[in-house]
Amino acid sequence: MPEWIRIDTDILDHKKTIILSRALGESELTTVGRLIGLWSFVQIHAWRDGDLEIWGSDGIEKAARWTGEKGEFFRCLNEAKLIQKNKINNWNQYAGIYT
């Protein structure tokens, strides 16, 4: 299992980050922190394929340190197209070098 994650230099200004932060009503910096928390969790628990189905929306929100309304972070992740069907979008494209 890899011990690091890739963070692109445009993460603060990426359209998906902006969509997610606006939907959550928080700063891009806070949203990026949540994403890094989530991706770190994926790197430990689902690094091969980014599939978090066994963790469900509650586990995903816990990994991102979400403290707001239950289900809201998960819904917004889907809205921003960062996750679909409990699987991190394009995980293999970004983390494929680990497998």
Side-chain angles (χ1 to χ4, degrees):
M1 168 186 54
E3 296 179 1
W4 58 277
I5 58 173
R6 175 180 158 184
I7 304 297
D8 289 342
T9 56
D10 71 341
I11 191 168
L12 284 168
D13 298 314
H14 194 281
K15 98 176 161 176
K16 289 182 179 182
T17 304
I18 293 169
I19 290 169
L20 182 59
S21 67
R22 287 181 182 165
L24 296 171
E26 61 186 17
S27 72
E28 286 88 0
L29 283 173
T30 300
T31 299
V32 166
R34 293 189 196 290
L35 290 172
I36 290 171
L38 176 59
W39 294 334
S40 296
F41 182 86
V42 175
Q43 196 68 317
I44 294 167
H45 299 286
W47 64 275
R48 292 187 194 276
D49 59 7
D51 189 346
L52 296 169
E53 185 170 355
I54 64 169
W55 300 98
S57 61
D58 287 346
I60 290 168
E61 289 186 341
K62 184 176 180 183
R65 307 308 193 263
W66 177 248
T67 58
E69 184 180 332
K70 185 177 178 179
E72 183 70 6
F73 182 77
F74 184 74
R75 183 189 66 75
C76 291
L77 275 176
N78 278 282
E79 184 179 298
K81 298 185 182 347
L82 286 159
I83 195 168
Q84 287 182 332
K85 298 180 182 179
N86 294 314
K87 192 169 184 175
I88 302 294
N89 274 357
N90 301 319
W91 182 257
N92 290 335
Q93 177 184 345
Y94 292 102
I97 58 175
Y98 308 132
T99 57

